[in-house]
Amino acid sequence: MLTGLDVIDDADVLESLSHDDAEWAPYGKALAAVRPRTTDDVRKVVAACAARRVPVVTRGAGTGLSGGANAVDGAMILDLSKMNRIVEIDAENMTATVQPGVINDDLKKAVAEHGLWYPPDPASAPWSTIGGNVATNAGGLCCLKYGVTRDYVLGLEAVVGGPAGDYGTVVRLGRRTTKGVSGYDLAGLFTGSEGTFGVITEITVRLRPARREAPRTVVGAFGSVVAAGEAVAAVTRAGLLPAALELLDRTCLRAVEEWKHLGLEADAAALLLAQLDTPGDQEATAVARVFRDAGALWAEQSTDEVEAEALFAARRLAYPALERLGPVLTEDVCVPRSKVPHMLAAIEAIAARHHTTIATIAHAGDGNLHPLILAPAGDEAAKLAAQAAFEEMLAEAIALGGTVTGEHGVGLLKRAGMRQELSPGVLAMQVAVKQTLDPLNLFNPGKVIG
């Protein structure tokens, strides 16, 4: 069936490739896995699987947190980690073209040598792939000011089926130009589609000029998580736009410090970290003032670049640090920025009501909150309580005018929440798109629309 390709059928390796980092999402028993290196390899796999009606589940680094890359029974896993070549960096036109297995941070380093910058920066940037970022339309720390992955995707190459031709047909979507409105935005449609429309095999992204100077960091300590949320809303009302505005609560800080020993103090209930890249100190001074006026215990601009880096490292390490302590059920709700304090208060009330421990990290500046529900391994009652808290938080986010997923994707864990959020008519439109582009339901079946 797949002569000449890197086929994996070892049970232990296959098991490790059959799920992402969403610890509580179910997964099936895959038939095998393949590690293609070229678009033509992918084309052959998709064509062979379609002929035998074998589902195709694509994965990158497996850092997802919604079960979006989890195997279904009898599936062929397409592990794109070997498709890791940077095809071109076009410095003159400020674009880069890459295979999907390129690591986010590796692309950043490569374009920096040309005086350029790729802004999308999920917390998993040291490990996650550009293909996975595109599949989920990943956000990150600096998307408050600079946007999410979709804002940087110009064009895609994908292996598809359905109306484009036989399964295994290669198409190019989008463009390489700065502007272009020829036809529907199919590249935008595929971005965030979680592998349900086809297999993305090449991506062209726009770049920005590199920052001219190091960003400044403002740190504020607060007596409660809700007080930190009030400060976030106050920053928005003041018309300030940091590159990043992140929240970490005491539980997260302590977990990171106990693991990595970064020299962090976790005396306050919550910290807000603002990163500002407007030239001069005026914006940083204004943010510190807003923090203090909103009730911060203290707020200062960091003068120690090592200290500032340690704080943002703690933000990126919060999830794996908590994961070391036991199973973690991760939320990804996003609410209007003015509603951040309301959502944070609701999270505290939900934790108390269900007798659960919920640690909170957040891209607070854009309203994207990540409550992390902890449950001891093997404690079935704690697991049920965590799941109940999870569902209640989804309902609360929707009630506040928000969404059940800001950047992690629907995958498996947010399907019920998505059905609550979207109207029947809109859900029917989504099903129709999937059925049109993938009439065999070959690509990542059971995800997103179920």
Side-chain angles (χ1 to χ4, degrees):
M1 175 180 172
L2 300 173
T3 305
L5 297 179
D6 184 5
V7 179
I8 299 156
D9 56 11
D10 177 84
D12 291 337
V13 177
L14 200 54
E15 166 79 11
S16 71
L17 296 175
S18 293
H19 58 85
D20 63 14
D21 275 349
E23 195 165 357
W24 293 23
Y27 58 95
K29 185 175 178 59
L31 175 68
V34 185
R35 288 190 174 124
R37 294 178 180 271
T38 67
T39 298
D40 193 56
D41 289 347
V42 175
R43 182 192 63 76
K44 291 174 182 175
V45 173
V46 169
C49 288
R52 295 161 178 80
R53 300 299 192 268
V54 173
V56 174
V57 177
T58 306
R59 66 175 277 127
T63 59
L65 294 170
S66 68
N70 285 14
V72 296
D73 287 339
M76 180 65 69
I77 297 169
L78 264 180
D79 175 5
L80 301 184
S81 60
K82 298 297 185 184
M83 294 183 70
N84 57 1
R85 187 166 62 91
I86 296 176
V87 177
E88 178 189 33
I89 296 173
D90 183 348
E92 188 174 15
N93 290 300
M94 292 198 295
T95 68
T97 299
V98 302
Q99 289 185 308
V102 170
I103 301 297
N104 183 300
D105 269 3
D106 289 348
L107 175 60
K108 281 182 167 56
K109 292 170 187 172
V111 302
E113 294 178 4
H114 298 264
L116 298 168
W117 178 37
Y118 179 65
D121 62 339
S124 59
W127 317 285
S128 64
T129 64
I130 298 298
N133 295 168
V134 171
T136 58
N137 189 27
L141 278 66
C142 74
C143 64
L144 170 60
K145 184 172 184 176
Y146 291 103
V148 297
T149 299
R150 183 178 283 117
D151 298 310
Y152 293 86
V153 174
L154 289 171
L156 301 170
E157 178 187 79
V159 176
V160 299
D166 294 335
Y167 277 80
T169 297
V170 180
V171 296
R172 287 193 172 272
L173 310 173
R175 63 197 189 280
R176 295 178 63 90
T177 53
T178 303
K179 295 165 64 178
V181 292
S182 181
Y184 298 121
D185 182 11
L186 296 182
L189 180 65
F190 268 64
T191 303
S193 64
E194 302 186 40
T196 60
F197 296 157
V199 182
I200 295 170
T201 53
E202 193 174 276
I203 304 141
T204 298
V205 296
R206 71 172 82 240
L207 305 172
R208 295 177 65 97
R211 289 161 160 168
R212 294 183 179 179
E213 55 186 77
R216 281 153 296 285
T217 298
V218 174
V219 185
F222 294 84
S224 73
V225 172
V226 175
E230 295 286 1
V232 171
V235 168
T236 301
R237 286 195 300 273
L240 298 166
L241 188 60
L245 182 54
E246 298 292 305
L247 180 149
L248 297 93
D249 75 0
R250 181 187 287 124
T251 303
C252 294
L253 283 166
R254 284 179 174 169
V256 172
E257 180 59 24
E258 288 170 5
W259 180 29
K260 291 295 185 180
H261 308 293
L262 298 176
L264 302 172
E265 293 185 10
D267 296 332
L271 291 185
L272 282 182
L273 312 177
Q275 190 180 79
L276 305 117
D277 58 4
T278 301
D281 289 331
Q282 185 175 354
E283 190 178 35
T285 300
V287 168
R289 185 186 311 115
V290 169
F291 283 2
R292 287 191 287 269
D293 291 347
L297 303 174
W298 55 263
E300 302 292 343
Q301 180 176 340
S302 176
T303 56
D304 185 338
E305 201 168 309
V306 175
E307 176 191 54
E309 180 55 38
L311 288 166
F312 276 93
R315 167 60 187 87
R316 294 183 185 279
L317 291 168
Y319 178 78
L322 288 164
E323 201 175 30
R324 292 174 62 250
L325 306 179
V328 178
L329 184 56
T330 307
E331 272 284 14
D332 177 41
V333 295
C334 192
V335 297
R337 286 180 282 182
S338 62
K339 300 296 184 182
V340 167
H342 303 271
M343 190 67 213
L344 288 168
I347 291 166
E348 289 192 336
I350 290 166
R353 193 153 49 245
H354 293 280
H355 306 288
T356 57
T357 299
I358 302 180
T360 299
I361 53 177
H363 307 305
D366 56 23
N368 190 190
L369 311 181
H370 296 313
L372 307 171
I373 312 169
L374 308 179
D379 188 333
E380 192 61 29
K383 184 174 182 179
L384 290 173
Q387 289 171 327
F390 179 90
E391 297 300 334
E392 194 171 335
M393 281 189 279
L394 296 184
E396 183 66 26
I398 294 169
L400 290 173
T403 179
V404 300
T405 176
E407 60 185 7
H408 292 170
V410 174
L412 292 171
L413 295 181
K414 298 298 178 68
R415 289 181 303 175
M418 186 187 77
R419 288 193 289 271
Q420 294 177 50
E421 179 183 336
L422 303 181
S423 70
V426 171
L427 287 169
M429 292 171 68
Q430 303 231 359
V431 171
V433 172
K434 166 67 171 174
Q435 291 176 343
T436 299
L437 295 179
D438 180 20
L440 296 182
N441 195 24
L442 192 81
F443 297 118
N444 211 10
K447 310 303 175 10
V448 187
I449 60 171

